[in-house]
Amino acid sequence: MIMTQKNGYKDFYTSLWDVVKWPVGKAKLNAKQIADTISQFSTVISNAPNQGNSTLEITKQQWVESLAVAASFADPKFCWTTPEMRDRANEWIAEIAAHLDGHVDTGVDTDTASLYIDASVFRDITTVFVRPYFVPSDHSNTIGRQRVHRQDQQRDYTLMEEGGTEGARGSGSPYKDSSQSDDARWRKNPQCIATFSWALDHLCDEAITDAISSILPVVLALVEDHECQAKLWGLRLATQLLGRSKWIEFMRKSGIASVVDKSVGACLLYRSDGEGIAADLLGSAFEAAIASAHILYNDPNKPTYSQGWWRLVDKVVSNEMYVSDNIAASTVLCKQIGILCGPLGYAIARYLRPLVGILSQGLHSPVHLSQDICNLHLTIVQQLAILVDTCLPRMHVYGSEIMAALAYSWASSSMQDRVKTKDNIVGLDELQRCIIDVVCRLGRSCPEITQTCIDRLCVSRPKVFQQWALENKRLENKPN
């Protein structure tokens, strides 16, 4: 990557744009070369004023544009960035911030994690480096040369069509369908998404009302993209947007949370065509949906509260049949149960029968066969502990079923020393401690059922389940 000196600093940062190609991960990317090129920023900046040509002086617009380029290499959420690349990019960002005084708040120290940009810088970044990739293809995406026409921006980023009718997207987005074709150009330059993600992360709290018109169309376009990787980025951006505590009230009152929730809701279905990111896609969809639910359903005294959260539990139950053959996706799905117990409390008992079935069934895989299965068992047992505590009065109905599943996991985890496997399974001791913990919790909820199950297990396999009997005996003798 050779930088010409014709236009100095502008050529430098322009040469670093559009170097990441789709599909990410399959395209060849020389991360070391990019990091080395980024590290030259200090030399280029120091030489710019000494060129003897005023046209080569770095303008405010160029500082902002170079900030957008540097940001595309600084966000750790994107797979093409390396630690060295991020370090060099953050050094560059810190230098840029020093020249944007009044528009960039560097916080209490020089760490770029505490850096915040105002609405004007955010708009400048998105106008040149993000929006051109999310408008019809007759707009040029060449950076620094053509801007999206103001009239076109209004047409493509309006919440409602003239006359109050909703836009054309089918899954609930009220935006015009300007980017649903297979040639959606954000895929051709995924750096624009990384730049947008960084800018959203670093947008100051008070700028959200001014910047939302530049944020929402991008988030929804990615969430509704049919490509799994683009959808994954969109869901993570949706969580970023909904997760800022100081933006929650604005998101609720403006109706934006409802708009995002409708698009995210369509993603709450496991996609078997997701290749290696199917589990991440499902997890990110639930994370975004839960973030929107916290905004929309925040008052337990309203009837919509339980209904809104029950809808997410129903998505967990309905996805079980699709993820059963994918250990990673099953792990992600089971994790949602404990999370949803928080806002619903005892009201989650409405779904207790299917939830216990999902968790119990997941413990019937031989835990000693792989690390992934061990991780699944550990997750399930942890969720069982939360579910038992949340629905303690109802656990006597399912005590025998849960004890049988725990017994299978315990016996399977005890086989590691006797079965030759190619992998050394990590976490078996923690798994057994968690199983004992759930057994003790069940002992408090349904002592007779728990004791009967333990007695039968000790008769059939005394060496394996002796510890269960000892722990239950200790619990009985423990003073209240």
Side-chain angles (χ1 to χ4, degrees):
M1 188 179 298
I2 300 175
M3 182 200 69
T4 65
Q5 293 296 326
K6 181 179 179 181
N7 291 312
Y9 187 59
K10 186 177 180 66
D11 275 351
F12 170 71
Y13 66 74
T14 302
S15 70
L16 286 163
W17 187 252
D18 201 19
V19 296
V20 181
K21 301 297 183 182
W22 182 276
V24 178
K26 295 182 180 179
K28 294 181 179 179
L29 183 69
N30 192 330
K32 174 63 175 174
Q33 187 181 45
I34 292 176
D36 290 343
T37 302
I38 294 174
S39 67
Q40 300 173 26
F41 75 87
S42 181
T43 302
V44 178
I45 291 173
S46 61
N47 288 340
N50 300 322
Q51 304 264 345
N53 186 340
S54 61
T55 61
L56 297 182
E57 291 182 1
I58 302 175
T59 64
K60 173 183 176 292
Q61 183 62 32
Q62 289 176 346
W63 286 121
V64 173
E65 290 180 356
S66 61
L67 175 62
V69 176
S72 69
F73 300 107
D75 196 325
K77 295 188 290 294
F78 293 83
C79 62
W80 62 80
T81 66
T82 63
E84 181 184 10
M85 190 187 297
R86 292 194 294 270
D87 288 344
R88 302 292 83 78
N90 281 313
E91 291 170 3
W92 187 11
I93 290 171
E95 177 68 22
I96 295 169
H99 294 273
L100 290 173
D101 187 36
H103 298 280
V104 174
D105 181 4
T106 56
V108 296
D109 50 41
T110 58
D111 183 5
T112 57
S114 61
L115 181 149
Y116 288 96
I117 60 177
D118 63 15
S120 66
V121 171
F122 184 88
R123 283 195 301 269
D124 287 345
I125 288 175
T126 55
T127 296
V128 181
F129 290 87
V130 181
R131 281 189 173 187
Y133 298 90
F134 290 83
V135 295
S137 58
D138 58 328
H139 296 289
S140 170
N141 62 4
T142 304
I143 65 170
R145 279 191 271 173
Q146 292 191 13
R147 300 287 197 271
V148 181
H149 193 274
R150 184 177 299 275
Q151 183 178 356
D152 292 327
Q153 289 183 14
Q154 179 66 25
R155 183 188 68 210
D156 291 309
Y157 292 90
T158 182
L159 276 169
M160 303 289 286
E161 297 281 6
E162 291 184 7
T165 59
E166 288 193 357
R169 285 193 193 159
S171 60
S173 169
Y175 290 89
K176 287 191 68 177
D177 188 6
S178 63
S179 50
Q180 288 298 293
S181 62
D182 284 341
D183 65 344
R185 289 179 296 137
W186 58 81
R187 300 198 202 119
K188 298 177 182 178
N189 185 356
Q191 276 179 266
C192 72
I193 303 173
T195 293
F196 181 82
S197 175
W198 183 93
L200 182 59
D201 259 344
H202 293 266
L203 180 64
C204 60
D205 291 327
E206 58 272 15
I208 182 61
T209 54
D210 293 330
I212 192 63
S213 62
S214 299
I215 296 171
L216 198 54
V218 176
V219 172
L220 294 178
L222 290 169
V223 168
E224 297 173 6
D225 193 287
H226 64 84
E227 284 281 351
C228 289
Q229 181 62 72
K231 188 178 290 290
L232 177 60
W233 286 331
L235 290 167
R236 289 173 176 172
L237 288 169
T239 303
Q240 283 178 243
L241 177 63
L242 299 171
R244 289 275 284 269
S245 59
K246 293 187 177 180
W247 293 354
I248 288 177
E249 196 64 22
F250 170 74
M251 294 295 165
R252 181 187 302 116
K253 291 182 177 179
S254 65
I256 291 171
S258 296
V259 173
V260 177
D261 182 70
K262 196 168 185 180
S263 290
V264 169
C267 304
L268 292 171
L269 180 66
Y270 175 71
R271 288 184 57 169
S272 57
D273 61 339
E275 298 180 353
I277 64 170
D280 288 338
L281 188 60
L282 184 64
S284 295
F286 270 103
E287 188 177 3
I290 289 171
S292 66
H294 276 296
I295 297 175
L296 297 172
Y297 315 115
N298 66 323
D299 186 354
N301 296 318
K302 294 183 178 180
T304 55
Y305 179 87
S306 294
Q307 294 171 5
W309 287 104
W310 277 336
R311 177 177 61 87
L312 295 180
V313 182
D314 188 65
K315 292 294 184 180
V316 173
V317 174
S318 62
N319 269 286
E320 192 271 336
M321 69 173 66
Y322 301 110
V323 306
S324 57
D325 293 333
N326 188 309
I327 296 173
S330 295
T331 303
V332 167
L333 191 67
C334 290
K335 283 181 179 179
Q336 311 311 316
I337 296 175
I339 296 173
L340 294 172
C341 280
L344 277 171
Y346 187 70
I348 203 171
R350 176 177 182 173
Y351 287 88
L352 196 54
R353 170 66 273 172
L355 292 180
V356 170
I358 291 171
L359 295 175
S360 299
Q361 184 64 33
L363 293 178
H364 284 81
S365 303
V367 70
H368 61 276
L369 294 184
S370 76
Q371 184 65 57
D372 289 340
I373 297 178
C374 179
N375 295 340
L376 172 61
H377 279 233
L378 183 58
T379 296
I380 289 175
V381 174
Q382 290 168 344
Q383 307 313 301
L384 275 172
I386 298 172
L387 195 61
V388 168
D389 280 352
T390 305
C391 303
L392 205 63
R394 293 282 302 277
M395 279 300 126
H396 66 279
V397 179
Y398 308 100
S400 297
E401 180 180 348
I402 296 174
M403 288 291 288
L406 292 173
Y408 190 95
S409 180
W410 178 275
S412 180
S413 65
S414 302
M415 296 177 65
Q416 174 70 13
D417 296 334
R418 304 196 304 272
V419 178
K420 292 183 179 180
T421 59
K422 62 179 181 180
D423 299 320
N424 183 29
I425 309 300
V426 177
L428 290 175
D429 290 341
E430 183 181 1
L431 172 61
Q432 291 192 340
R433 285 195 298 271
C434 290
I435 290 174
I436 289 293
D437 178 60
V438 176
V439 170
C440 292
R441 291 169 191 263
L442 286 171
R444 291 191 290 269
S445 174
C446 43
E448 294 182 0
I449 294 175
T450 304
Q451 186 61 57
T452 300
C453 291
I454 292 176
D455 290 343
R456 291 175 179 174
L457 290 168
C458 288
V459 170
S460 61
R461 303 183 68 177
K463 292 183 179 180
V464 176
F465 293 99
Q466 182 180 15
Q467 188 175 349
W468 284 32
L470 293 175
E471 289 293 336
N472 195 56
K473 193 70 174 176
R474 182 183 62 81
L475 182 64
E476 290 179 351
N477 296 330
K478 186 176 179 180
N480 293 330

